[in-house]
Amino acid sequence: MNQAVLSKLKAIVGENHILTEFEDRYCYSFDSTFINSMPDLVIQPGSRDEIAAICRIAYANDIPVVTRGAATGLSGGAVPVKGGIVIETTRLNKVLEVNTSNFYAIVEPGTITQDYLAAVDKAGLFYPPDPASSKMSTIGGNIAECAGGPHGVKYGITRDYVLGLEVVLPDGSIVQTGNLIDGDMSGPDWTMLYCGSEGTLGVITKIMLKLTHKPQAKQTMMATFSAIEDAATTVSTMMASGVIPTTLEIMDNMTIRAVENFLNIGLPIEAGAILLIEVDGDPQAVEKHVQHVLKVCNDCNASSVKVAKTAQEADGLWKARRSVSPACGKLNPTKISEDATVPRSRIPEMVSAVQAIAKKYNLKMVIFGHAGDGNLHPNILSNKHDKEEMARVEKAVEELFQVALKLGGTLSGEHGIGYLKAPFLVWETGEEGFKFGKDVKQAVDPKSLMNPGKMFDYHDDKAV
Amino acid sequence: MNEHGHEEWKQQLVKCIRCGTCRSVCPVFKEENNENTTARGKVQLLEGVLEGAVKLTPTLQERFNKCLLCKACVKGCPSGVRTDTLFLSARLTNANKNSLPLAKRLAFKGLTFRKLFDTGLRIGSVMQNVVMKKSDDGRGNQARFNIPGSGLDLRRIIPPLAAKPLRDIVPEKTTVTNPKGRAVFFPGCMLNYIYPEAGKAVVNILKRNNWDVTIPTDLSCCGTPAFTSGDQATGRELAAANLKALAGDYDVVITACASCGAALKNEYGEILQNESDHNAWQKLSKKVLDISEFVVKYGDPALFGALPMKVTYHDACHLVRGMDVSKQPRQVFATVPELDFRNMKDADVCCGAGGTFSMAYYNLSRRINDHKLDNAEATGASCLVTGCSACRMHITDGLSQRNSNMRVMHTAEIIDMAYQNGEKQKKGGKQV
Ligand SMILES: Cc1cc2nc3c(=O)[nH]c(=O)nc-3n(C[C@H](O)[C@H](O)[C@H](O)COP(=O)(O)OP(=O)(O)OC[C@H]3O[C@@H](n4cnc5c(N)ncnc54)[C@H](O)[C@@H]3O)c2cc1C
Ligand code: SF4
Ligand code: SF4
């Protein structure tokens, strides 16, 4: 990087908050995917105004800017595939306000999701989107990826809670979208433009979020099925029947075996699938919901349904779900986590399709995910050092995308498009939709400096 | 794992799924907010080394030194990446390439000459006043001037060397009539030279439970300071010497220092290479017990007298994650009559000492320590108990810096006091 530019940047944030050493930049060359690409510089600004000043300089000098939260993204969003400056937001980490009379919170983007959730909880309120990565991810990253989680079935995903944002645009100007009252604004809903924008349209510097009441009671259940198809039918039947659980998570046989092997908690290893189901609400409603869930499961051939009697038992059931990642990691080192998602009614078809693809390419594929959202999280367990197998993985992933789209689904339920799924985006949008996306990007970021090479800015040049 | 075990590196590295869970547990990262301090960052750097993209530069060496080796990342890693052995091995590889600073190299070499080391520290105990002065609160010493290569911050308060080391206070062999068993006690450097009172408490505990105790004269430093800095040759030499000194007809090997215990029980297995040493270690490893484990397993709870104190407990990294000891001291505290035990928040988070870490990064280690002290003080306890002398030293320094009057004691000292009170109660005397 040009010395004059570097000293200007140093003047903005101070020497201590710029990383130039090779070894340090190397640590910013990846996220939770398996791709790497080096940034030229890493900057850790301490305020919105510093971010705006950095963007102005980058804009004047045509330097790419990649915003980064905790780099737990699963589509390569925070990887600087075209080099440039990485802006790390984690020094902007304050929960500015939790308003208990008007049910909103104002947070800085680099706040760790869990810290924010704890602040809301302490104030006696509830913010439902709970990605499994909440201990590490930033709330800014959650907005930029439109993160979802196990609560999504009933409560929706991040998008459903964003009232407004403050954004630094590519040229360094600052805009505010939405408002604290109802998130509505005069004109189109710019806020929604930035949900899932993956750093391609500007840097989010302040976030206004809607809050809700804590549920009074909840009940956790585990249903066991000898055939995964029955579990899949249970999900689509349940969702169509009107009682919406807060959580509806599926685990297939291979997942069950892996988790049991890891935890030894007496999971049914012969089962084709299990469903983890949670309902919440006021105590009477919960009781009614439980009865309903039991009925649907039994109608769909569940071999047994266990209702947790104590909070501890509920925790035990959740523990199985939470241990899926590590348990699968023990089977095969590289886990390629897809989140192609289909309408809930098509889940049974998607399950069969995933199984067929695994067989066709001779791959270990597990299914465990937010089935209630139609998000089956097919994960391919592989080894990135095995080139031949990785080639098969690539083919299988493409086929997964095709199937999901054919069933009326999407490439990504929650992990975003980023770099890894960019080549396939046009399959989902169609040529015209893709052009529209490109035009919007062009209008906001005419120089293509914000997270270049991602999403609608993808050019067919696999750089990494 | 040793330097050339690149195959072993590979096996560990491939397991890292870059999930970043280690970001949520690393005490250094929490202060520095910098990916170059996380386990993930370091694991990827090592991957880069194997691929040839990252060179073994002094900068890289520095990044690996800025780690507490607290094992929080090992425990938190969902994929089971053994970052502890990886990072040790990386330090070794780096040290071989870039060599250690001269002062460190000489100091570690000195550890292998047991007699010389012993004499040096004895002279040190007399001569220390030349370079050190008593701190204002009388808790310890501060450097009078910057001692080159010592890594001693002028503000830092370290305990003085004891006037008499443990070995001069207790005999090599303590025998009882009709012993229940034979224990060999490995006091380690800190209990021997700095906190002999805690060492004495260990001997008292064993004696009171009617066990024979031996402290062999030819024990050396356990080697942790050397092999954690990448000087594995010295570490190996010390390990072999200790194995020899501890070989004997003993039922248990008692430690009361987290690092010595973890070294004897686990880490020797990773640095010892020749087969006979390795076999000897395997035999020894099974017998290693932290003193709190001993008390839970073999101690007689009826011996405890009332100990009306408010205490809290800090889990030393090498005890909780190195030896899997965290229930035992709490079990003991729960058994002592009238002892008011209050668990602190994040009791098992590193106190920031991290061996040589606190010398190289004193300010950072102080910030990490401050969280520990805040949590300890929030319990309202008047005494913080821990099973590790290095933690004790660092925590005591921190308390002095903030003028707190909380005391710091070794687990063994609390147990010994409860026993003493038990005896006095029996005789109808006054409690301590
Ligand atoms: C173990 C694990 C479990 C996961 N579970 C879930 C899950 O249950 N649900 C789910 O949805 N996701 C999940 N994820 C994916 C990931 O955690 C989420 O996408 C998360 O929202 C990313 O947050 P981050 O702070 O790490 O963002 P990063 O990875 O740093 O960035 C992601 C994208 O957002 C952009 N960005 C970040 N901050 C800003 C900002 N302030 N302004 C503009 N753009 C910004 C970046 O440029 C990048 O494109 C999981 C990941 C892991 C590793
Ligand atoms: S927690 Fe383990 S697998 Fe995850 S990034 Fe850290 S070292 Fe890698
Ligand atoms: S050992 Fe401790 S300090 Fe070092 S990387 Fe792991 S968690 Fe961080």
Side-chain angles (χ1 to χ4, degrees), chain A residues 215-235:
Chain A
Q216 289 174 326
K218 57 184 168 193
Q219 186 60 260
T220 313
M221 290 157 274
M222 188 176 86
T224 308
F225 298 84
S226 42
I228 189 168
E229 291 75 13
D230 288 336
T233 315
T234 307
V235 174

Side-chain angles (χ1 to χ4, degrees), chain A residues 225 230 233-234 237 292-302 305:
Chain A
F225 298 84
D230 288 336
T233 315
T234 307
T237 314
H292 181 83
V293 168
L294 289 175
K295 181 169 183 319
V296 175
C297 288
N298 289 330
D299 288 353
C300 296
N301 302 326
V305 187

Side-chain angles (χ1 to χ4, degrees), chain B residues 26-28 37 39 42 67-73 87:
Chain B
C26 177
V28 178
T37 58
K42 292 195 280 276
C67 164
L68 293 158
L69 296 177
C70 72
K71 299 179 196 263
C73 48
F87 296 166

Side-chain angles (χ1 to χ4, degrees), chain A residues 19 22-24 26-28 30-36 44 68 70-72 90 135-136 326 333 383 385, chain B residues 14-15 17-21 23-24 33-36 40-41 44-45 47-48 51 53-54 57 59-60 63 78:
Chain A
L19 304 178
F22 173 84
E23 289 81 355
D24 296 336
Y26 192 85
C27 294
Y28 286 81
F30 55 84
D31 63 359
S32 292
T33 62
F34 53 88
I35 57 171
N36 282 65
Q44 303 158 316
R68 175 184 147 124
T72 65
T90 50
K135 272 195 300 189
M136 349 27 127
N383 182 335
H385 294 301
Chain B
V14 71
K15 286 199 280 185
I17 52 168
R18 302 175 167 195
C19 65
T21 306
R23 290 172 66 96
S24 65
N33 228 332
N34 217 325
E35 191 76 54
N36 67 12
R40 173 169 76 166
Q44 292 308 317
L45 281 170
E47 179 111 24
E51 284 164 3
V54 177
T57 58
T59 313
L60 188 75
R63 298 300 178 265

